[in-house]
Structure formats: C-alpha cells, structure tokens
Amino acid sequence: MSTSLLCLATALIGGLLLSRLTKKLNLPAVTGYLVAGLLIGPFFLGRLNLPGLGFQSLEQVETMSIITQTALGFIAFTIGNEFRLHQLKKMGKSAIVIGILQAVITTVLVDIVLIALHFCFPNVISIPAAITLGAIASATAPAATLMVVRQYKADGPLTRLLMLVVAIDDAVGLVLFSVSFGIATALSHGQASIMAVVVEPILEIVLSLVLGSLMGWLLNFVEQFFHSRSKRMTISVAFVLLTVGLSQLKFQIAGVHCGFSLLLVCMMTGTIFCNICSTSEELMERVDNWVMPLNVLFFVISGAELDLNVVLQPMTILVGVIYIIARSLGKYSGSALSCKLTHQSKPITDNLGITLLPQAGVALGMALTASSLTNGSMVRNVVLFAVLVYELIGPTLTKRSLLKVGEIKPEGSTSARRHNEPKNH
C-alpha cells in the first residue's frame, strides 16, 4: 500500500509539474499529464526499479484501474450535464445526426482502406482485424475533450455541439463495435451469433439508460434531505461512485449476457439529475472542483499505460499510420458532411471533425475485447500506437480549433494564490 501511495503522489506531482511546462509551450495541461505518465511509466523512471518512483511494470499500472474507471465515471457524469432540455431543443436533432453519421462514415472508410491493405499484403493484416479496427475507429475520447473545454473555459456553438456529439458517439461506437466484432468473430472462427451481434449490444444500451435514469432520479431525491453545500456535494460524489460500481455488474438472463456501459450509465445519471434538480449547476461546479486531482491521475496513469514496445514493430507502425490517416479523414469528412446536412455554420463545419480526433480508454477497451481474434494482437498494438499519437496531439488540435472559432478567451495572468495581508484595525 505504501508503494501505491508513493506512486500516486509521484503521479500527481509529476503531472502538475509537467503541466507548468506545457503551459509555457501553449499546450493543454492534458498533454503535460500524459507526458508525465510516460516519464514515470515502466519505460523510463520505472526501469530504475525504485519503489514508489514511477511504475515498474504495465501490470502495476493496471492495478490502478479503479482510479481510472472512477475518473471516467465522473467525466461521463459531467458530460451528461450538457444534455439540458434547452440545449437539446436547440441542437439535439443535429447532434444525433452528426454523432451517428460521422461515426458510421469513419468506420466504413477505415474498413475500406484496411481491407484493401489486406488484399495487397495478406500477411500484414487479416479481414477480421480490419473490420474490427474500422469499428474501433469510430470511438472518441470524451475525457481529453472535456479537460480542454474545462481548462480554457471554452463556450459557444461549437463547444456545446461537440459535447453532445462526443456523448452520442460513445453509444454509436458501442453498437458499431458489437456488430463488427460479431462479424469478425464469425469470419475468424466460422460461427456467428445473432444474440451477440444484435440483441446483447442493444440490451446493454437500454439497460445502461434505465440504470442511469434511475440513479439520476435517486440522486435528486436523496439530495433534497441535505441542505449544507458540503453534504450535498458529498452525496453527489457518493452516488457517482455507486453508479460506477453498479455499472461494472454483469449477469445472464435466460442465457443472454447482460451488462452496462460505464460511460452511458454515468452520462444518463448526469443528464437526468441536471434536468430535474434546480440547483444542479452550482452542485456540478463543486463536484468538478473535488474531482480535479482524480482527473489528473486519470491522464497520468493513462500515459503510463501506453506500451512503447509497439514503436519497435515496423508492421504495427505501418498499419498504425494508415489507420490514423484513414480515421482522421473519416472523422473530418464525416463531420463536415453531416454538418452541411444539418445546416451548421462554416466555422463548425470546418472544425468539428478535428475536435473529434482524440482517442483513448474506450478504444483500448474495445481492443482488449478484440484480442480473442486470431489476429487480435495486431488490433491491440495498432490501437495502442494510435492512442499514443492521438492523446499527445489531439488535445492541442482541439484547443487550436476552439481558438480558431473564438470560443476560447485569451488566458489572463491572474493567480489563485493570495498573500496574507495585515488587517487594518
């Protein structure tokens, strides 16, 4: 336990110190946290084998999954706060169309490119792996996007649409991956299951929305019994932790595998709560302040999880570069087309796709599931390489896009530090 606590302290301090450096370079703090994670990970300081000074192995980093899952739950809960009725009335229909269309276009484009690569070089990548990577390409990382928006207090039409699209993207990505992985499994092992391809993914989404709705209603009900700000914040934190825990449950009903999506459950909890609680905005702001250290740990640990061994594999880099180019084109063109169909302004049409490039935890989770394929190791390594690239440059591209459309105000030189001053009597 002492070693784990020392590692967490090192992660927090290292992340904060690197964020000061990235600020001088005009880069988002998220980039500093990720680089700090790489530095204290098993490929740099971890190699010194000094207990508490960095993570000595990827297995040790994985023991911190409870922190990353909890942080992801709070991030999803915060994103759910964006789904307020007045927002949905303004751009809900557009966000749904854009969220679905850009994800599908990205998957189709990556599928076409990687399947073509298979026919040119059959030994490099299999068709099941190509189909699976196409579905994984649809996923966007909500955490990095949210942190950039929060750090720079971004606000405007693009920011509000982006938050809605990122949330919808996760639900669409879940369906696309389940269907594609089912087809890939059939091609790889010669058997297909309608239950696994169609029924279980839809059931997971429905169950997640129901559980999230129930938790949001319960949070609002219980919160009314407390009146002090500290206790109301505490009960909110407790409910998010409870929601994260419940979303990990898996069970069977009549042979059908049932489970929940952590992101969807927590997003729905936040959505219901913010729409039925009259004081939700003030409460959400307090929760955001409380979870800031948790968010820093999330990104530092995410950086430490990146396996740098993939950069030593030429075939992985080749497929990874092609995957990154195809996915980036898919996100950009898919967003531009769907924005034109929904009559968005030119600044949104030109920049939304760039803000959807970050990719991390959701994609890695999908890649882990895909490891059961005959070419599953290729899928995992390509996604690891892509995440390494996207996480380091994605937040910066998001910041530049939001700056370009004028939704990030120039940073001031104010400081939260207050010096003690003698009181006048």
Side-chain angles (χ1 to χ4, degrees):
M1 181 179 291
S2 61
T3 301
S4 297
L5 289 174
L6 287 172
C7 285
L8 291 177
T10 303
L12 272 174
I13 295 170
L16 291 173
L17 290 176
L18 261 292
S19 71
R20 294 297 301 168
L21 176 61
T22 54
K23 184 176 182 179
K24 292 183 180 298
L25 298 173
N26 291 319
L27 297 173
V30 175
T31 305
Y33 303 149
L34 290 165
V35 173
L38 283 173
L39 293 177
I40 68 170
F43 299 96
F44 290 96
L45 286 180
R47 285 188 177 275
L48 299 177
N49 291 322
L50 296 175
L53 184 64
F55 299 99
Q56 297 175 23
S57 66
L58 290 173
E59 289 73 22
Q60 186 182 5
V61 181
E62 289 173 4
T63 62
M64 302 293 173
S65 62
I66 186 173
I67 293 175
T68 55
Q69 291 294 94
T70 302
L72 203 53
F74 277 101
I75 289 166
F77 180 70
T78 302
I79 291 176
N81 190 45
E82 302 295 325
F83 282 80
R84 295 181 179 270
L85 286 177
H86 64 88
Q87 287 282 76
L88 293 177
K89 288 178 181 177
K90 289 181 181 178
M91 56 180 65
K93 184 178 179 181
S94 298
I96 292 172
V97 172
I98 295 170
I100 295 174
L101 197 55
Q102 58 83 23
V104 172
I105 289 175
T106 301
T107 294
V108 172
L109 182 58
V110 175
D111 277 346
I112 291 173
V113 171
L114 293 183
I115 290 174
L117 179 65
H118 164 76
F119 284 115
C120 294
F121 305 99
N123 295 328
V124 173
I125 187 171
S126 65
I127 289 182
I131 293 174
T132 304
L133 281 170
I136 294 174
S138 67
T140 298
T145 303
L146 179 66
M147 287 292 284
V148 172
V149 170
R150 287 285 184 268
Q151 179 185 351
Y152 297 106
K153 297 179 175 60
D155 189 32
L158 175 58
T159 301
R160 290 191 287 270
L161 180 61
L162 170 63
M163 299 306 290
L164 294 176
V165 170
V166 165
I168 294 167
D169 183 270
D170 288 311
V172 178
L174 175 64
V175 174
L176 289 173
F177 176 75
S178 298
V179 173
S180 297
F181 182 62
I183 295 172
T185 302
L187 293 173
S188 185
H189 304 299
Q191 56 183 5
S193 169
I194 298 297
M195 191 70 68
V197 174
V198 179
V199 177
E200 290 180 359
I202 294 176
L203 188 60
E204 180 174 331
I205 292 174
V206 172
L207 288 174
S208 298
L209 296 178
V210 170
L211 177 59
S213 300
L214 177 62
M215 295 305 293
W217 181 85
L218 281 174
L219 172 55
N220 179 64
F221 177 75
V222 175
E223 183 264 342
Q224 296 176 46
F225 292 97
F226 301 92
H227 302 289
S228 73
R229 291 176 176 177
S230 59
K231 288 181 179 178
R232 289 170 60 234
M233 184 193 73
T234 301
I235 196 65
S236 300
V237 170
F239 256 81
V240 176
L241 292 174
L242 177 60
T243 304
V244 172
L246 291 174
S247 68
Q248 306 296 312
L249 297 177
K250 297 185 183 298
F251 53 93
Q252 288 190 30
I253 299 177
V256 179
H257 293 85
C258 302
F260 303 97
S261 165
L262 182 150
L263 287 172
L264 288 182
V265 173
C266 292
M267 271 192 272
M268 196 62 184
T269 302
T271 299
I272 296 298
F273 177 68
C274 78
N275 280 291
I276 63 177
C277 177
S278 59
T279 59
S280 62
E281 287 198 38
E282 176 260 336
L283 199 54
M284 293 293 288
E285 185 176 339
R286 287 181 168 275
V287 172
D288 283 346
N289 293 333
W290 185 87
V291 301
M292 186 59 202
L294 196 61
N295 290 337
V296 174
L297 283 175
F298 172 82
F299 285 103
V300 175
I301 293 172
S302 296
E305 282 180 322
L306 296 176
D307 189 346
L308 296 187
N309 284 323
V310 297
V311 300
L312 303 176
Q313 303 169 11
M315 286 297 100
T316 296
I317 294 177
L318 171 64
V319 178
V321 169
I322 294 172
Y323 168 86
I324 289 171
I325 294 172
R327 179 180 180 271
S328 300
L329 287 174
K331 285 291 180 183
Y332 186 81
S333 60
S335 297
L337 175 62
S338 53
C339 282
K340 288 180 181 178
L341 291 176
T342 55
H343 309 291
Q344 302 300 316
S345 65
K346 191 175 189 302
I348 292 178
T349 302
D350 292 343
N351 291 281
L352 180 63
I354 297 173
T355 63
L356 294 172
L357 291 181
Q359 191 173 46
V362 177
L364 290 173
M366 292 176 175
L368 184 62
T369 302
S371 60
S372 61
L373 295 173
T374 51
N375 204 199
S377 59
M378 170 61 78
V379 173
R380 180 179 177 276
N381 290 338
V382 168
V383 173
L384 277 171
F385 176 73
V387 166
L388 176 64
V389 174
Y390 278 127
E391 282 295 85
L392 292 177
I393 68 171
T396 301
L397 293 176
T398 298
K399 176 193 172 183
R400 288 184 178 179
S401 294
L402 294 176
L403 268 173
K404 191 175 180 181
V405 298
E407 297 188 9
I408 290 180
K409 296 178 181 178
E411 291 183 87
S413 57
T414 57
S415 172
R417 183 186 298 277
R418 293 182 180 177
H419 296 285
N420 291 325
E421 296 178 359
K423 295 181 180 180
N424 295 323
H425 295 285

